[in-house]
Every structure is written in structure tokens, then in C-alpha cells.
Amino acid sequence: MGFHRRPAEPGLDRSTRVTVLSAAAATAAAALAAVPAGAAPQDKPSDTRATVDRLYEQAEQATEAYNKADERADKLRAQVERARDSIARGQERINQMRGALGALAGAQYREGGIDPTLQLMLSSDPEGYLDKATALDRVSTRQAGQLTDLRQAQRGLAQQRTEAGRKLAELEKSRTVVARHKRLVENKLAQARRLLNSLPSEEREAYGRSSRSGAGRAELPELGGAPSSSRAAAAIAAARSAIGRPYVWGANGPSGFDCSGLMQWSYAQAGVGLPRTSQAQRYAGRQVPLAQAQPGDLVTYRDDASHIGMYMGNGQVVHAPYPGAPVRYDPVGMMPVSSVTRV
């Protein structure tokens, strides 16, 4: 369903908390348990469609939690790679320092292996010996300084290794959360498919043509206007080019999208980096009233901002609705609007 597999990292421990994401998974699991797995014989088609809508809503909530966990895993993976590179460079530096110290120690031993007073007494050139002794003293001072540097470098490398181990453990924990959300979403979507398949064919077709069940849909003015900026215009062009491409949960293009993935990809084509989740995207710019919406603005839905689309003017948004429904236009008031963001 568009889940991106990640290669396993060797040598991971499991010590780091990902409390917020785990709590989100637990909440989604509780919501899932409360939803019936199939339509009862006495259910009306409208009731079944409403239940499918609820399942899709819950799937969207879990999808955005999945996206958040997956984004964090990507960041942690990059941090781990940087830590590995730094550790490798640090180890190479320590090896070089050890080699230099070894050479100094050998020279010191060769030049000062017997008692300095006896060497002075036996020397046929006392002045030359004193010059050499001064040089040896400078070598000893340099050696002591390099030994201090080596010890500091070793301590720093040990700290880096400890931090890398913590990041690896955190990465593994984050992957566990990603996998949990993947199972939640797949379970909800499977239930939705079973319910849809229980409907007569004409009801299934009607559901496919509609955007949502209609609950909470508001009658809103058809706002027109021009894009607020050239980057908004470029994002609009990208979103339009994606119309007809499939909804794929956890995907951000170019062949398939979930709702926030479509927004991220569209603005990326305009050279603008958006966060991965709809909850974060709502704060990716300046919020404006719905009555002042302009093409290119991001429209988030529901109080938890679990769905998002792009306003295109004339009372329409482009969005990735749900599995089985491709990227398309729908009325801006298809669901309760929570915010409008100008990027």
C-alpha cells in the first residue's frame, strides 16, 4: 500500500522512548476496536457509507501519525549516518596521533635511554650533549601535549559512540512505531473495503462519485482570485498535473499520494519545502480566514487537521481523498474546515 521498507540496522539496543507516537498508536488502536468489521444485515446503505467515512477518517488520522513517525525515522537515520562518518574520522585521527606519539617515544628512548648525568660525564662533547638534552626536553614537552590531545580525542570519540548508540536505539523504536501505524491503517482500510463490497453495485458507484457522506458539509461561497505568489502558482500547476493519480497512503509522489504527500510534492515543485504531515503543514505559513482564501492556499479539515487539500479557486480544492479515489477536485466545504494557510 505504499509502505516504504527500511533496511535493518545491526547492533541496536532498545532503550529510548517515543511516548507521543506510541500514545497515538494506542489511541488509534482503541478507535479501531470500536468500529464494526462488517455491515449488519439491517444496516441501511446510508449507514454503511457513513461507517466507511468514519473508517477512512480514522485511517487518515493513523496515516498522518505514520507519516510523522516515518519522517522522524528519516531524520534519525541521517543523524546516525553522520555520527558514523564522524566516528570513522575520529578513529583515523586517533590512529595518526598514536603513530606520532610512538615515533616520538622511540626517538626519546634512543637519545635518552641512560641516566642524563652519566651521559654528560661520558660525553666527549659536553656542549653538544647539552644542546641535545635541551632538544629532548622540548620533545618531552611536545609528547606530553600530544598525549593530552590523544586522551581528549579518545574521550570525545567515546561520547560520540554513546550518542550514536542512543540514536540507533531511538531509530529502532521509531521504526517499531511506523510498523504499528502501518498495521492500523491497513486494518481500517480492509474494513472499509469489506463494507463497500457489501453494498449493491449502484451504491458503490454512487459512493465513488461522491467526495464524502455529506456530513458536516457546508455551503460556502465560490471564492475566486489569483494565486498569492508565483510559488503558489507553480504549486497549483503541479497539483493539477497530479489529478487522476491514485491515493497511496504514506506516499508523497510522484506516482501516488496521500493527502499531505500531495501538498508536500506540489510545493516541492515550486521550490518550497513543506513538512510531511497535515498537522505541521497547517503552520507552514500565515493563516488567513476562509473568506480570504486564494488559489494555492492549504485548507486543513477537522479539528485535528487530519486531512488537507489545496484551494484552487471557485470554491474547489484539489486533494487526495482516500484509497480508491484518485487525486481530484472537490468542494472546499466537503468537510469542516479548521484552517487556511498561505505558504
Side-chain angles (χ1 to χ4, degrees):
M1 295 245 0
F3 176 66
H4 306 292
R5 297 184 180 273
R6 306 291 189 191
E9 300 284 355
L12 302 178
D13 59 17
R14 302 172 182 268
S15 61
T16 305
R17 299 172 298 130
V18 189
T19 307
V20 174
L21 294 177
S22 298
T27 301
L32 173 59
V35 178
Q42 68 273 19
D43 284 349
K44 290 187 271 187
S46 59
D47 293 336
T48 300
R49 290 195 299 270
T51 302
V52 171
D53 276 345
R54 286 196 299 273
L55 282 165
Y56 280 143
E57 179 179 344
Q58 292 167 6
E60 283 177 334
Q61 292 165 348
T63 295
E64 291 307 299
Y66 162 85
N67 288 337
K68 183 177 181 180
D70 199 42
E71 183 178 44
R72 174 144 182 79
D74 284 340
K75 289 178 180 176
L76 287 169
R77 189 174 297 105
Q79 291 172 8
V80 166
E81 289 304 316
R82 286 195 296 270
R84 284 176 168 166
D85 290 343
S86 179
I87 287 169
R89 290 193 300 270
Q91 186 62 60
E92 183 178 357
R93 178 169 174 258
I94 284 173
N95 291 342
Q96 291 172 349
M97 293 170 74
R98 281 176 174 158
L101 271 171
L104 278 173
Q108 189 176 26
Y109 177 79
R110 286 191 299 272
E111 298 294 341
I114 63 175
D115 182 83
T117 304
L118 182 59
Q119 274 197 315
L120 180 59
M121 290 173 60
L122 297 176
S123 175
S124 60
D125 182 10
E127 289 185 6
Y129 172 77
L130 288 173
D131 290 342
K132 192 178 295 183
T134 301
L136 281 173
D137 184 61
R138 286 198 298 268
V139 167
S140 297
T141 302
R142 180 184 171 196
Q143 185 177 12
Q146 288 195 334
L147 185 59
T148 299
D149 291 343
L150 175 60
R151 287 171 178 163
Q152 289 176 344
Q154 287 174 325
R155 282 195 296 270
L157 189 60
Q159 289 173 351
Q160 282 185 305
R161 284 182 169 142
T162 299
E163 178 66 12
R166 187 183 70 79
K167 291 291 185 185
L168 281 168
E170 196 174 352
L171 174 58
E172 178 63 13
K173 192 74 173 179
S174 186
R175 282 178 175 157
T176 300
V177 174
V178 169
R180 186 181 302 128
H181 283 302
K182 175 180 182 287
R183 291 192 297 271
L184 283 171
V185 177
E186 288 179 333
N187 200 332
K188 292 175 189 296
L189 295 179
Q191 290 185 62
R193 281 193 296 271
R194 287 196 296 271
L195 283 172
L196 281 173
N197 289 337
S198 72
L199 291 170
S201 59
E202 61 273 14
E203 291 289 343
R204 288 199 301 273
E205 291 172 5
Y207 186 88
R209 288 191 298 269
S210 66
S211 58
R212 299 281 172 170
S213 66
R217 188 175 298 179
E219 293 298 326
L220 296 168
E222 293 190 356
L223 306 171
S228 59
S229 65
S230 58
R231 61 186 182 183
I236 289 168
R240 283 177 174 156
S241 74
I243 290 173
R245 297 182 197 176
Y247 180 104
V248 178
W249 78 265
N252 59 350
S255 57
F257 305 90
D258 61 22
C259 66
S260 58
L262 175 61
M263 301 301 102
Q264 186 183 51
W265 179 83
S266 297
Y267 264 97
Q269 309 316 299
V272 178
L274 290 184
R276 180 61 182 91
T277 66
S278 56
Q279 290 89 351
Q281 288 172 2
R282 76 187 298 183
Y283 299 115
R286 178 170 61 91
Q287 294 196 355
V288 298
L290 178 59
Q292 297 176 18
Q294 292 179 254
D297 291 349
L298 304 179
V299 182
T300 53
Y301 294 93
R302 309 190 192 100
D303 290 340
D304 61 357
S306 56
H307 191 75
I308 193 164
M310 184 183 296
Y311 187 65
M312 308 300 280
N314 298 319
Q316 299 286 304
V317 293
V318 162
H319 68 139
Y322 48 79
V327 174
R328 68 188 187 192
Y329 288 95
D330 270 318
V332 68
M334 62 184 173
M335 290 180 282
V337 174
S338 62
S339 65
V340 178
T341 303
R342 185 156 299 152
V343 178

Coordinates of all heavy atoms in Angstrom, one line a residue, residues 252-335:
N252 N 4.3 10.3 -1.1 CA 4.4 11.7 -1.5 C 4.9 11.9 -2.9 O 5.7 12.8 -3.2 CB 5.2 12.5 -0.5 CG 6.6 12.0 -0.4 OD1 7.0 10.9 -0.9 ND2 7.5 12.7 0.3
G253 N 4.4 11.0 -3.8 CA 4.6 11.2 -5.2 C 5.9 10.5 -5.7 O 6.6 9.9 -5.0
P254 N 6.0 10.7 -7.0 CA 5.1 11.3 -8.0 C 4.0 10.5 -8.5 O 3.1 11.0 -9.1 CB 6.1 11.8 -9.1 CG 7.1 10.7 -9.1 CD 7.3 10.3 -7.7
S255 N 4.1 9.1 -8.3 CA 3.1 8.3 -8.9 C 1.8 8.1 -8.1 O 0.8 7.7 -8.6 CB 3.7 6.9 -9.2 OG 4.2 6.3 -8.0
G256 N 1.9 8.4 -6.8 CA 0.8 8.3 -5.9 C 1.0 9.1 -4.7 O 2.1 9.5 -4.4
F257 N -0.1 9.5 -4.0 CA -0.1 10.4 -2.9 C -1.1 10.1 -1.8 O -2.2 9.5 -2.1 CB -0.5 11.8 -3.4 CG 0.4 12.3 -4.5 CD1 0.0 12.1 -5.9 CD2 1.5 13.0 -4.3 CE1 0.7 12.5 -6.9 CE2 2.3 13.5 -5.4 CZ 1.9 13.2 -6.7
D258 N -0.8 10.4 -0.6 CA -1.8 10.6 0.4 C -2.0 12.1 0.5 O -1.4 12.9 -0.3 CB -1.4 10.0 1.8 CG -0.2 10.6 2.4 OD1 0.2 11.7 2.1 OD2 0.4 9.9 3.3
C259 N -2.9 12.6 1.4 CA -3.4 14.0 1.3 C -2.2 15.0 1.5 O -2.0 15.9 0.8 CB -4.5 14.2 2.2 SG -4.2 14.1 4.0
S260 N -1.4 14.7 2.6 CA -0.3 15.7 2.9 C 0.8 15.4 2.0 O 1.6 16.4 1.7 CB 0.1 15.5 4.4 OG 0.5 14.1 4.6
G261 N 1.0 14.2 1.5 CA 2.0 13.9 0.5 C 1.8 14.7 -0.8 O 2.8 15.2 -1.4
L262 N 0.6 14.9 -1.2 CA 0.3 15.7 -2.4 C 0.7 17.1 -2.2 O 1.2 17.8 -3.1 CB -1.2 15.6 -2.8 CG -1.7 16.4 -3.9 CD1 -1.0 16.1 -5.2 CD2 -3.2 16.3 -4.1
M263 N 0.4 17.7 -1.0 CA 0.7 19.1 -0.8 C 2.2 19.3 -0.7 O 2.8 20.2 -1.3 CB 0.1 19.5 0.6 CG -1.4 19.5 0.7 SD -2.3 20.4 -0.6 CE -2.8 19.1 -1.8
Q264 N 2.9 18.3 -0.1 CA 4.4 18.4 0.0 C 5.0 18.4 -1.4 O 5.9 19.2 -1.7 CB 4.9 17.3 0.9 CG 6.4 17.4 1.2 CD 6.9 16.3 2.0 OE1 6.7 15.1 1.7 NE2 7.7 16.6 3.1
W265 N 4.6 17.4 -2.2 CA 5.1 17.3 -3.5 C 4.8 18.5 -4.4 O 5.7 19.0 -5.1 CB 4.6 16.0 -4.2 CG 5.1 15.8 -5.5 CD1 6.2 15.2 -5.9 CD2 4.4 16.2 -6.8 NE1 6.3 15.2 -7.3 CE2 5.2 15.8 -7.8 CE3 3.2 16.8 -7.0 CZ2 4.9 16.0 -9.2 CZ3 2.8 17.0 -8.4 CH2 3.7 16.6 -9.4
S266 N 3.6 19.0 -4.3 CA 3.2 20.1 -5.2 C 4.1 21.3 -4.9 O 4.6 22.0 -5.8 CB 1.7 20.4 -5.0 OG 0.9 19.3 -5.4
Y267 N 4.2 21.6 -3.6 CA 5.0 22.8 -3.3 C 6.5 22.6 -3.5 O 7.3 23.5 -3.8 CB 4.8 23.3 -1.9 CG 3.7 24.4 -1.9 CD1 2.4 24.1 -1.6 CD2 4.1 25.7 -2.2 CE1 1.4 25.2 -1.7 CE2 3.2 26.7 -2.2 CZ 1.9 26.5 -2.0 OH 0.9 27.5 -2.0
A268 N 7.0 21.3 -3.4 CA 8.4 21.0 -3.8 C 8.7 21.3 -5.2 O 9.8 21.8 -5.5 CB 8.7 19.5 -3.5
Q269 N 7.7 21.2 -6.1 CA 7.9 21.5 -7.5 C 8.1 23.0 -7.7 O 8.6 23.5 -8.7 CB 6.7 21.0 -8.4 CG 6.4 19.6 -8.2 CD 7.6 18.6 -8.1 OE1 8.3 18.6 -9.1 NE2 7.7 17.9 -7.0
A270 N 7.6 23.8 -6.7 CA 7.8 25.2 -6.7 C 9.0 25.7 -5.9 O 9.2 26.9 -5.7 CB 6.5 25.9 -6.1
G271 N 9.8 24.7 -5.4 CA 11.0 25.0 -4.7 C 10.8 25.3 -3.2 O 11.6 25.9 -2.6
V272 N 9.6 24.9 -2.7 CA 9.3 25.2 -1.3 C 9.2 23.9 -0.5 O 8.5 23.0 -1.0 CB 7.9 25.9 -1.2 CG1 7.5 26.2 0.3 CG2 7.9 27.2 -2.0
G273 N 9.9 23.8 0.6 CA 9.9 22.6 1.4 C 8.8 22.7 2.5 O 8.8 23.5 3.3
L274 N 7.8 21.8 2.4 CA 6.8 21.7 3.4 C 7.0 20.5 4.3 O 7.6 19.6 3.9 CB 5.4 21.5 2.8 CG 4.8 22.7 2.0 CD1 3.4 22.3 1.5 CD2 4.7 23.9 2.8
P275 N 6.6 20.6 5.6 CA 6.7 19.4 6.5 C 5.9 18.3 5.9 O 5.1 18.5 5.0 CB 6.0 19.9 7.8 CG 6.0 21.4 7.7 CD 5.9 21.8 6.2
R276 N 6.0 17.1 6.4 CA 5.4 15.9 5.9 C 3.9 15.7 6.3 O 3.2 15.2 5.5 CB 6.2 14.7 6.3 CG 5.6 13.3 5.7 CD 5.6 13.3 4.2 NE 5.1 12.1 3.7 CZ 3.8 12.0 3.4 NH1 2.9 13.0 3.6 NH2 3.3 10.9 2.8
T277 N 3.5 16.2 7.5 CA 2.2 15.9 7.9 C 1.3 17.1 7.8 O 1.7 18.2 7.7 CB 2.2 15.5 9.4 OG1 2.6 16.6 10.2 CG2 3.2 14.4 9.7
S278 N 0.0 16.8 7.7 CA -1.0 17.8 7.5 C -1.1 18.7 8.8 O -1.3 19.9 8.7 CB -2.4 17.2 7.3 OG -2.8 16.3 8.3
Q279 N -0.8 18.1 10.0 CA -0.8 18.9 11.2 C 0.3 20.0 11.2 O 0.1 21.1 11.6 CB -0.7 18.0 12.4 CG -1.9 17.2 12.7 CD -1.9 15.8 12.0 OE1 -1.0 15.6 11.1 NE2 -2.8 15.0 12.3
A280 N 1.4 19.6 10.6 CA 2.6 20.5 10.6 C 2.4 21.5 9.4 O 2.8 22.7 9.5 CB 3.9 19.8 10.4
Q281 N 1.8 21.0 8.3 CA 1.6 21.9 7.2 C 0.7 23.1 7.4 O 0.8 24.2 6.9 CB 1.1 21.1 6.0 CG 2.1 20.2 5.4 CD 1.5 19.2 4.3 OE1 0.3 19.3 4.0 NE2 2.4 18.3 3.8
R282 N -0.3 22.9 8.3 CA -1.2 24.0 8.7 C -0.4 25.2 9.3 O -1.0 26.3 9.2 CB -2.3 23.5 9.6 CG -1.8 23.4 11.0 CD -2.9 22.7 11.9 NE -4.1 23.5 12.0 CZ -5.2 23.2 12.8 NH1 -5.1 22.1 13.5 NH2 -6.2 23.9 12.8
Y283 N 0.8 25.0 9.8 CA 1.5 26.0 10.4 C 2.7 26.4 9.5 O 3.7 27.1 10.0 CB 2.0 25.6 11.8 CG 0.9 25.4 12.8 CD1 0.7 24.1 13.3 CD2 0.0 26.4 13.1 CE1 -0.3 23.8 14.1 CE2 -1.0 26.1 14.0 CZ -1.2 24.8 14.5 OH -2.2 24.6 15.4
A284 N 2.7 26.0 8.2 CA 3.8 26.3 7.3 C 3.8 27.6 6.7 O 4.5 27.9 5.8 CB 3.9 25.2 6.3
G285 N 2.9 28.5 7.1 CA 2.7 29.8 6.6 C 1.8 30.6 7.4 O 1.6 30.4 8.6
R286 N 1.2 31.6 6.8 CA 0.3 32.6 7.5 C -1.1 32.1 7.4 O -1.6 31.9 6.3 CB 0.5 34.0 6.9 CG -0.4 35.0 7.6 CD 0.0 36.4 7.1 NE -0.1 36.6 5.6 CZ -1.2 37.0 5.0 NH1 -2.3 37.3 5.7 NH2 -1.1 37.1 3.7
Q287 N -1.8 32.0 8.5 CA -3.2 31.6 8.4 C -4.1 32.8 8.1 O -3.9 33.9 8.6 CB -3.6 30.9 9.8 CG -2.8 29.6 10.0 CD -3.5 28.7 11.1 OE1 -4.4 29.1 11.7 NE2 -2.9 27.6 11.3
V288 N -5.1 32.5 7.2 CA -6.0 33.5 6.8 C -7.4 33.0 6.9 O -7.6 31.8 7.0 CB -5.7 33.9 5.3 CG1 -4.3 34.5 5.2 CG2 -5.9 32.7 4.4
P289 N -8.4 33.9 7.0 CA -9.8 33.5 7.1 C -10.2 32.8 5.8 O -9.7 33.1 4.7 CB -10.6 34.8 7.3 CG -9.6 35.8 7.7 CD -8.3 35.4 7.1
L290 N -11.1 31.8 5.9 CA -11.6 31.1 4.7 C -12.1 32.1 3.7 O -12.0 31.9 2.5 CB -12.6 30.1 5.1 CG -13.2 29.3 4.0 CD1 -12.1 28.5 3.2 CD2 -14.3 28.3 4.5
A291 N -12.8 33.1 4.1 CA -13.4 34.1 3.2 C -12.3 34.8 2.4 O -12.7 35.4 1.3 CB -14.2 35.1 4.0
Q292 N -11.1 34.8 2.8 CA -10.0 35.4 2.1 C -9.1 34.4 1.3 O -8.0 34.8 0.9 CB -9.1 36.3 3.0 CG -9.9 37.4 3.7 CD -9.1 38.2 4.7 OE1 -7.8 38.1 4.7 NE2 -9.7 38.9 5.6
A293 N -9.5 33.2 1.2 CA -8.7 32.2 0.6 C -8.4 32.5 -0.9 O -9.2 33.0 -1.6 CB -9.4 30.8 0.6
Q294 N -7.1 32.2 -1.3 CA -6.7 32.4 -2.6 C -6.1 31.1 -3.2 O -5.7 30.3 -2.4 CB -5.6 33.5 -2.7 CG -6.1 34.9 -2.4 CD -5.0 35.9 -2.5 OE1 -4.5 36.4 -1.4 NE2 -4.5 36.3 -3.7
P295 N -6.2 30.9 -4.5 CA -5.6 29.7 -5.1 C -4.2 29.5 -4.6 O -3.4 30.4 -4.5 CB -5.7 30.0 -6.6 CG -6.9 30.9 -6.7 CD -6.8 31.8 -5.5
G296 N -3.9 28.2 -4.2 CA -2.6 27.9 -3.7 C -2.6 27.7 -2.2 O -1.6 27.1 -1.6
D297 N -3.6 28.3 -1.5 CA -3.6 28.2 0.0 C -3.9 26.7 0.4 O -4.6 26.0 -0.4 CB -4.7 29.1 0.5 CG -4.4 30.6 0.4 OD1 -3.2 30.9 0.1 OD2 -5.3 31.4 0.7
L298 N -3.4 26.3 1.5 CA -3.7 25.0 2.0 C -4.9 25.0 2.9 O -5.0 25.9 3.8 CB -2.4 24.5 2.8 CG -1.1 24.5 2.1 CD1 0.0 24.0 3.0 CD2 -1.2 23.6 0.8
V299 N -5.8 24.1 2.7 CA -7.0 24.0 3.5 C -7.0 22.7 4.3 O -7.0 21.6 3.8 CB -8.3 24.0 2.6 CG1 -9.6 24.0 3.5 CG2 -8.3 25.3 1.7
T300 N -7.0 22.9 5.6 CA -7.0 21.7 6.5 C -8.4 21.5 7.1 O -9.1 22.4 7.2 CB -6.0 21.8 7.7 OG1 -6.2 23.1 8.4 CG2 -4.6 21.8 7.2
Y301 N -8.7 20.2 7.3 CA -10.0 19.8 7.7 C -10.0 19.1 9.1 O -9.0 18.5 9.4 CB -10.6 18.9 6.7 CG -10.9 19.6 5.3 CD1 -9.9 19.5 4.3 CD2 -12.0 20.3 5.1 CE1 -10.1 20.2 3.1 CE2 -12.2 20.9 3.9 CZ -11.3 20.9 2.9 OH -11.5 21.5 1.7
R302 N -11.1 19.2 9.7 CA -11.4 18.6 11.1 C -10.5 19.4 12.1 O -9.5 20.0 11.8 CB -11.1 17.1 11.1 CG -11.8 16.3 10.0 CD -11.7 14.8 10.3 NE -12.1 14.1 9.2 CZ -11.2 13.5 8.3 NH1 -9.9 13.7 8.5 NH2 -11.7 12.8 7.3
D303 N -10.9 19.2 13.4 CA -10.2 19.9 14.4 C -8.8 19.4 14.6 O -7.9 20.2 15.0 CB -10.9 19.7 15.8 CG -12.2 20.5 15.8 OD1 -12.4 21.4 15.0 OD2 -13.1 20.1 16.6
D304 N -8.5 18.1 14.2 CA -7.2 17.6 14.4 C -6.3 17.8 13.1 O -5.2 17.3 13.0 CB -7.2 16.1 14.7 CG -7.9 15.3 13.7 OD1 -8.4 15.8 12.7 OD2 -8.0 14.0 13.9
A305 N -6.9 18.5 12.1 CA -6.1 18.7 10.9 C -5.6 17.5 10.2 O -4.5 17.4 9.7 CB -5.0 19.7 11.1
S306 N -6.4 16.4 10.2 CA -6.0 15.1 9.7 C -6.2 15.0 8.2 O -5.8 14.0 7.6 CB -6.7 14.0 10.4 OG -8.1 14.1 10.3
H307 N -6.8 16.0 7.6 CA -6.9 16.0 6.1 C -6.6 17.4 5.6 O -6.8 18.4 6.3 CB -8.3 15.6 5.7 CG -8.4 15.3 4.2 ND1 -7.9 14.1 3.6 CD2 -8.9 16.0 3.2 CE1 -8.1 14.2 2.3 NE2 -8.7 15.3 2.0
I308 N -6.0 17.4 4.4 CA -5.6 18.7 3.8 C -5.7 18.7 2.3 O -5.6 17.6 1.6 CB -4.2 19.0 4.2 CG1 -3.8 20.4 3.9 CG2 -3.2 18.0 3.6 CD1 -2.5 20.9 4.6
G309 N -6.1 19.8 1.7 CA -6.1 20.0 0.3 C -5.6 21.3 -0.1 O -5.2 22.2 0.7
M310 N -5.6 21.6 -1.4 CA -5.1 22.9 -1.9 C -6.3 23.7 -2.6 O -6.9 23.1 -3.5 CB -4.0 22.7 -2.9 CG -3.4 24.1 -3.4 SD -2.1 23.8 -4.7 CE -0.9 22.9 -3.8
Y311 N -6.5 24.9 -2.1 CA -7.6 25.7 -2.7 C -7.2 26.1 -4.1 O -6.1 26.5 -4.4 CB -7.8 26.9 -1.9 CG -9.1 27.7 -2.3 CD1 -10.3 27.1 -2.3 CD2 -8.9 28.9 -2.9 CE1 -11.4 27.7 -2.7 CE2 -10.1 29.6 -3.3 CZ -11.3 29.0 -3.3 OH -12.4 29.7 -3.7
M312 N -8.2 25.9 -5.1 CA -7.9 26.2 -6.5 C -8.7 27.3 -7.0 O -8.6 27.7 -8.2 CB -8.2 24.9 -7.3 CG -7.5 23.7 -6.8 SD -5.7 23.8 -6.7 CE -5.3 23.5 -8.5
G313 N -9.6 27.9 -6.2 CA -10.5 29.0 -6.6 C -11.8 28.4 -7.0 O -12.0 27.2 -7.1
N314 N -12.8 29.3 -7.1 CA -14.2 28.9 -7.5 C -14.7 27.8 -6.5 O -15.5 26.9 -6.9 CB -14.2 28.4 -8.9 CG -13.8 29.5 -9.9 OD1 -14.2 30.6 -9.7 ND2 -13.0 29.1 -10.9
G315 N -14.4 27.9 -5.2 CA -15.0 27.0 -4.2 C -14.5 25.6 -4.3 O -15.2 24.7 -3.8
Q316 N -13.3 25.3 -5.0 CA -12.9 24.0 -5.2 C -11.5 23.8 -4.5 O -10.7 24.7 -4.5 CB -12.8 23.7 -6.7 CG -14.1 23.7 -7.4 CD -15.0 22.6 -7.1 OE1 -14.6 21.4 -7.2 NE2 -16.2 22.9 -6.6
V317 N -11.2 22.6 -4.1 CA -9.9 22.2 -3.7 C -9.5 21.0 -4.5 O -10.3 20.2 -5.1 CB -9.8 21.8 -2.2 CG1 -10.0 23.0 -1.3 CG2 -10.8 20.6 -1.9
V318 N -8.2 20.8 -4.7 CA -7.6 19.6 -5.2 C -7.0 18.8 -4.0 O -6.3 19.4 -3.2 CB -6.5 19.8 -6.3 CG1 -5.7 18.6 -6.5 CG2 -7.2 20.2 -7.6
H319 N -7.3 17.5 -3.9 CA -6.8 16.7 -2.8 C -6.8 15.3 -3.2 O -7.3 14.8 -4.2 CB -7.7 16.9 -1.5 CG -9.1 16.4 -1.6 ND1 -9.7 15.7 -0.6 CD2 -10.0 16.4 -2.7 CE1 -10.9 15.3 -1.0 NE2 -11.1 15.7 -2.2
A320 N -6.1 14.5 -2.3 CA -6.1 13.0 -2.5 C -7.1 12.5 -1.4 O -6.8 12.5 -0.2 CB -4.7 12.5 -2.2
P321 N -8.3 12.1 -1.9 CA -9.4 11.8 -0.9 C -9.2 10.6 0.0 O -9.2 10.7 1.2 CB -10.6 11.6 -1.8 CG -10.2 12.2 -3.2 CD -8.7 11.9 -3.3
Y322 N -9.1 9.4 -0.6 CA -8.9 8.2 0.2 C -8.6 7.1 -0.8 O -8.7 7.3 -2.0 CB -10.3 7.9 0.9 CG -11.5 8.0 0.1 CD1 -11.9 7.0 -0.8 CD2 -12.3 9.1 0.1 CE1 -13.0 7.1 -1.6 CE2 -13.4 9.2 -0.6 CZ -13.8 8.2 -1.5 OH -14.9 8.3 -2.3
P323 N -8.2 5.9 -0.4 CA -7.9 4.8 -1.3 C -9.1 4.5 -2.2 O -10.2 4.4 -1.8 CB -7.6 3.6 -0.3 CG -7.1 4.3 0.9 CD -7.9 5.5 1.0
G324 N -8.7 4.3 -3.5 CA -9.8 4.0 -4.5 C -10.3 5.3 -5.2 O -10.9 5.2 -6.2
A325 N -10.0 6.4 -4.6 CA -10.5 7.7 -5.2 C -9.2 8.5 -5.6 O -8.4 8.8 -4.7 CB -11.3 8.5 -4.2
P326 N -9.0 8.7 -6.8 CA -7.8 9.4 -7.3 C -7.8 10.9 -6.9 O -8.8 11.4 -6.4 CB -7.8 9.2 -8.8 CG -9.3 9.2 -9.1 CD -9.9 8.4 -8.0
V327 N -6.6 11.5 -7.0 CA -6.5 12.9 -6.8 C -7.5 13.6 -7.7 O -7.6 13.3 -8.9 CB -5.1 13.4 -7.2 CG1 -5.0 14.9 -7.1 CG2 -4.1 12.7 -6.3
R328 N -8.3 14.6 -7.1 CA -9.4 15.2 -7.8 C -9.8 16.5 -7.2 O -9.4 16.9 -6.1 CB -10.6 14.2 -7.9 CG -11.2 14.0 -6.5 CD -12.3 12.9 -6.6 NE -13.0 12.8 -5.3 CZ -13.8 11.8 -5.0 NH1 -14.0 10.8 -5.9 NH2 -14.5 11.8 -3.9
Y329 N -10.7 17.2 -7.9 CA -11.4 18.4 -7.4 C -12.6 18.0 -6.5 O -13.3 17.0 -6.8 CB -11.9 19.3 -8.5 CG -10.9 20.0 -9.3 CD1 -10.4 19.4 -10.5 CD2 -10.4 21.2 -8.9 CE1 -9.5 20.1 -11.3 CE2 -9.5 21.9 -9.7 CZ -9.0 21.4 -10.8 OH -8.1 22.0 -11.6
D330 N -12.8 18.7 -5.4 CA -14.0 18.6 -4.6 C -14.3 19.9 -4.0 O -13.5 20.8 -4.0 CB -13.8 17.6 -3.5 CG -14.1 16.1 -3.9 OD1 -15.2 16.0 -4.5 OD2 -13.4 15.2 -3.6
P331 N -15.6 20.1 -3.5 CA -15.9 21.4 -2.9 C -15.1 21.7 -1.7 O -14.8 20.8 -0.9 CB -17.4 21.2 -2.6 CG -17.9 20.1 -3.4 CD -16.7 19.2 -3.6
V332 N -14.7 22.9 -1.5 CA -13.9 23.3 -0.3 C -14.6 23.0 1.0 O -14.0 22.7 2.0 CB -13.5 24.8 -0.4 CG1 -14.7 25.7 -0.2 CG2 -12.4 25.1 0.6
G333 N -16.0 23.0 1.0 CA -16.7 22.8 2.2 C -17.2 21.3 2.3 O -18.1 21.0 3.0
M334 N -16.4 20.4 1.7 CA -16.8 19.0 1.8 C -16.7 18.4 3.2 O -17.4 17.5 3.5 CB -15.9 18.1 0.9 CG -14.4 18.2 1.3 SD -13.3 17.3 0.2 CE -11.7 17.7 0.8
M335 N -15.9 19.0 4.0 CA -15.8 18.6 5.5 C -15.6 19.9 6.2 O -15.3 21.0 5.7 CB -14.6 17.7 5.7 CG -14.7 16.3 5.1 SD -13.2 15.4 5.4 CE -12.1 16.0 4.2

